[in-house]
Amino acid sequence: MSELVLINVSGRDKPGLTSEITGIMARYDVRILDIGQAVIHDHLTWGILAEIPDEANAPPVIRDLLFRLHSLDLQVRFAPITEAEYQQWAEGRNRACYIVTLLSRDIKAQQIAKVSEITAQHGLNIDNITRLSARPSLNPADNRIACVEFSVRGTPADLDTLRTDFLRIAGEMNVDIAFQEDTIFRRSRRLVVFDMDSTLIEAEVIDELAREAGIGDQVAEITERAMQGELDFSESFTERLALLKGLDESVLQTIAARLTLTEGAEHLIRSLKALGYRTAILSGGFTYFARHLQERLGIDYIYANELEIKDGKVTGQVSGRIVDGQRKAELLAEIAEREGVSREQVIAVGDGANDLPMLSQAGLGVAFRAKPLVKESARHSISTLGLDAILYLIGFRESDTGQFFKAE
């Protein structure tokens, strides 16, 4: 009759330890039911669930392991496991798996405590905790981004309440927390679509145009209400655009030259391109500025509003259909079909109420530094870090992506 034994080893890591330990087990034809290892600051924690085929072999296996591990200055603990305990554990592995991603400038114990508290309250058990970001500096001021990923299992009674709880503690601690099901699509996204104004760039271009026309405050107030979802986007856009009638065409170049990319935008786009992703701008702004970004960042597709200009002056109108929230969702679907990918493989990023339709259509919709209504309505949000934090939401480590992943 076989015997099940859980073996835990800890101590200073050394090359060849796994080979040493499993080599001893191999002499007794031990079957490996589960295995895991973690190394933190050169300190190893190693676990293996073994099935020893003949109960009589258990003492010799344990004796040989004890002798060798003691000589290597490692601590070891053996725990017998019953068949019933094993069966219960194995069945639990079939429960739904989720990924909780904690993003911050610097990871604190309180943040880990709160995340683990919420998961436990909702009946989820943590399987693994992994740091995805690089090892931090001892000086917190030097750290640009930190990320820890939790793999959890269980069946939450109410996913909406769970997400609300995560959103609440994220606001309290000034961190970002993403909760998503761990499906085959999570690391197989192929297309990323972005809003432009206040997402890829740190400005609302229509407000910049209005400042040049001397009506900045008037237009900015309308823009803010539209982004908050208080006004219909198309109607407010038409109203703001009409106020720009007569503006000199030369102003567009002046504004384009001073546009500032959002933190992490260039880093994110460069990494996505190196990884083979396709990218698009779906903007309620203007094609003149979208083309400027396309040339600068290498964006594959751009869709925005064509600002009408006659005799060197802005007419206060656009050519063609206004790119509003509904149009953004349609364009997302069209590009995905053209690229031969499912909507589950699409990431959408935006900040305003007019971005909600495309965020809801994408497999991963991210509200970026968004208005309260958008942040509460979207499934995921990033408020405290730059755009490149999205790389962690799709499971990449800094070490995965090599030299192009490094920040500027």
Side-chain angles (χ1 to χ4, degrees), residues 194-206:
F194 298 93
D195 174 45
M196 180 172 67
D197 296 20
S198 297
T199 300
L200 279 177
I201 57 174
E202 293 185 341
E204 292 286 337
V205 169
I206 197 166

Side-chain angles (χ1 to χ4, degrees), residues 353-364:
N354 63 319
D355 295 312
L356 282 172
M358 76 171 184
L359 297 185
S360 66
Q361 289 289 313
L364 178 63

Side-chain angles (χ1 to χ4, degrees), residues 1-3 28 52-63:
M1 185 175 178
S2 64
E3 185 166 347
Y28 297 91
I52 303 173
D54 187 338
E55 192 173 356
N57 283 333
V61 172
I62 292 172
R63 180 198 62 214

